[in-house]
Amino acid sequence: MSLLNREVFWPPADELIEVAERIRARLGEWPAAAMRWRICLTAPEAPKADDLIVLTESHDADAGRFADSGAAVLDAREGRVTLHRGDERFALEGERSDDWLAALAAFLDCNFEPHDALTLALAWRAGDENKADAWPVDFATFPRVADLPPAPEGGFPACPDRLGLYPVLPSADWVERVLDLDVRTAQLRRKTTDTADLKREIARSVEAGRRHDAQLFINDHWREAIAAGAYGVHLGQEDVQTADLNAIAKAGLRLGLSTHGYYEMLRALHFEPSYLALGAVFPTTTKVMPTKPQGLARLRRYVQLLSGRVPLVAIGGIDAKVMPDVLATGVGSAAVVRAVTEAPDTAAAVSSLQQMFAGK
């Protein structure tokens, strides 16, 4: 857990490393960082892939000149902080404490990706290390994601704060089968390039949702979901760039958004969705994930920050064995796939999972 005996800041900065050490000591045990970042307070002549170069002066050259080295760049000028990493750009606005760079080093050491470590560092306030729980949990201190389009006027309709068991299912047959077992939240994730098949499957699933008065979400296919009058749609982070959120809101559909860490949670909240999905909690084979598994410790912190602000759904690799631990974080819903679709006895599996939510 120590930051000593390695190069954390360049040039060496004794005062910063001392503050970073104090902060890191109060953040608890986390897995060893996958990459040992070096925070460069001035631009090195020969930057490396594990360098995070901080630009603070207006005469510093454009961040793009370091792209070939593979280094990440933090442009901390003009009232915002923008992280450039490869082709990705993460822009955040908000107050900064004097300790933000020391906090950044500490959160990087907790194995957070640079954009999430930066989000936490900007939420850090001087003296937080003296609190009983030093972790940033006051939403008011967190930065804002910059340069986003306006949220849809009027927003999206609300859904229940605790959506309970949330099976993600491959077909209308599965949707009908599971809703017949008294499940009240489900998602159709239909993987097909056949337009006619897709429309039929969505129409059947939506009708089953109506019969059972259930919250039936359609994954990705928002146009077809609008046409069928679905309860809601579920989109990934990448879909926010291409989907017509205004059309979805105008049609009265609920919106669920996937997130994979602090930065994406703040970005998703800007659009005022009906719920946030937090994942992947554990490794999953049902789809290719853009990020490493989050784990229960992170999930617990996400719930602590966002509970009561928006309904939350844990997702990714969740089965009956780990469900009690997932629910112990306080999350109000958990999405499952193989725990239902690959169960030897579907009815028994659903009943067992439903019982775990009783009283939660």
Side-chain angles (χ1 to χ4, degrees):
M1 196 169 72
S2 175
L3 297 175
L4 299 178
N5 303 317
R6 66 182 180 88
E7 194 173 41
V8 177
F9 294 100
W10 185 90
D14 291 344
E15 185 176 347
L16 269 178
I17 196 67
E18 288 174 8
V19 177
E21 276 277 302
R22 290 201 304 269
I23 294 172
R24 179 65 187 90
R26 299 289 292 118
L27 298 182
E29 296 290 341
W30 293 88
M35 183 177 286
R36 294 296 191 179
W37 291 96
R38 181 178 72 160
I39 300 176
C40 299
L41 307 175
T42 60
E45 291 186 5
K48 302 178 294 184
D50 57 355
D51 282 345
L52 205 167
I53 303 167
V54 182
L55 303 180
T56 57
E57 301 296 333
S58 59
H59 62 265
D60 278 338
D62 180 53
R65 72 186 174 100
F66 302 107
D68 291 342
S69 69
V73 176
L74 270 184
D75 188 336
R77 298 172 288 179
E78 300 178 0
R80 68 165 63 188
V81 181
T82 304
L83 170 67
H84 301 265
R85 190 181 184 194
D87 295 332
E88 296 183 291
R89 176 179 174 275
F90 308 88
L92 292 161
E93 295 177 336
E95 296 182 14
R96 282 181 259 165
S97 76
D98 292 339
D99 294 342
W100 76 279
L101 281 174
L104 176 61
F107 287 114
L108 286 171
D109 195 66
C110 293
N111 201 27
F112 282 87
E113 289 294 318
H115 53 281
D116 287 326
L118 176 61
T119 302
L120 287 164
L122 294 177
W124 184 265
R125 294 294 178 263
D128 278 358
E129 69 270 22
N130 298 320
K131 296 179 179 178
D133 182 6
W135 199 268
V137 293
D138 181 358
F139 192 84
T141 70
F142 275 73
R144 300 175 301 279
V145 177
D147 304 328
L148 295 176
E153 188 174 347
F156 297 94
C159 61
D161 185 56
R162 305 186 76 82
L163 286 165
L165 180 64
Y166 187 167
V168 178
L169 305 164
S171 68
D173 283 340
W174 268 107
V175 170
E176 292 168 346
R177 185 178 177 184
V178 168
L179 294 188
D180 282 344
L181 297 173
D182 205 30
V183 170
R184 286 297 168 263
T185 305
Q187 179 186 136
L188 173 68
R189 183 193 286 168
R190 185 66 172 175
K191 298 179 181 180
T192 180
T193 57
D194 185 332
T195 302
D197 170 82
L198 181 65
K199 290 180 177 179
R200 285 193 302 269
E201 291 289 305
I202 290 176
R204 278 183 58 192
S205 298
V206 169
E207 176 55 33
R210 290 198 187 106
R211 287 198 309 271
H212 291 278
D213 193 25
Q215 290 91 226
L216 192 283
F217 292 87
I218 304 300
N219 183 269
D220 287 348
H221 301 288
W222 58 271
R223 293 182 183 87
E224 292 80 2
I226 290 174
Y231 178 85
V233 295
H234 180 93
L235 300 178
Q237 284 278 316
E238 66 284 357
D239 300 315
V240 174
Q241 303 288 348
T242 57
D244 189 340
L245 299 187
N246 287 292
I248 296 170
K250 187 176 180 180
L253 274 65
R254 283 82 178 165
L255 175 67
L257 289 178
S258 293
T259 67
H260 311 89
Y262 281 103
Y263 181 90
E264 289 191 1
M265 288 189 291
L266 295 182
R267 183 172 182 265
L269 284 173
H270 167 80
F271 298 103
E272 302 178 7
S274 307
Y275 75 78
L276 289 188
L278 310 173
V281 181
F282 303 105
T284 176
T285 60
T286 60
K287 63 184 296 188
V288 177
M289 300 305 300
T291 57
K292 60 195 172 195
Q294 301 291 310
L296 289 170
R298 292 192 188 194
L299 176 62
R300 188 174 294 108
R301 288 300 187 181
Y302 300 158
V303 172
Q304 189 176 10
L305 177 66
L306 298 178
S307 183
R309 183 170 294 273
V310 63
L312 302 172
V313 179
I315 190 169
I318 299 172
D319 57 20
K321 182 178 179 180
V322 300
M323 183 67 81
D325 293 329
V326 170
L327 296 183
T329 67
V331 72
S333 178
V336 297
V337 182
R338 290 177 298 160
V340 168
T341 60
E342 296 183 10
D345 185 331
T346 303
V350 167
S351 176
S352 177
L353 289 166
Q354 291 277 52
Q355 289 175 20
M356 297 181 191
F357 284 86
K360 293 292 184 179

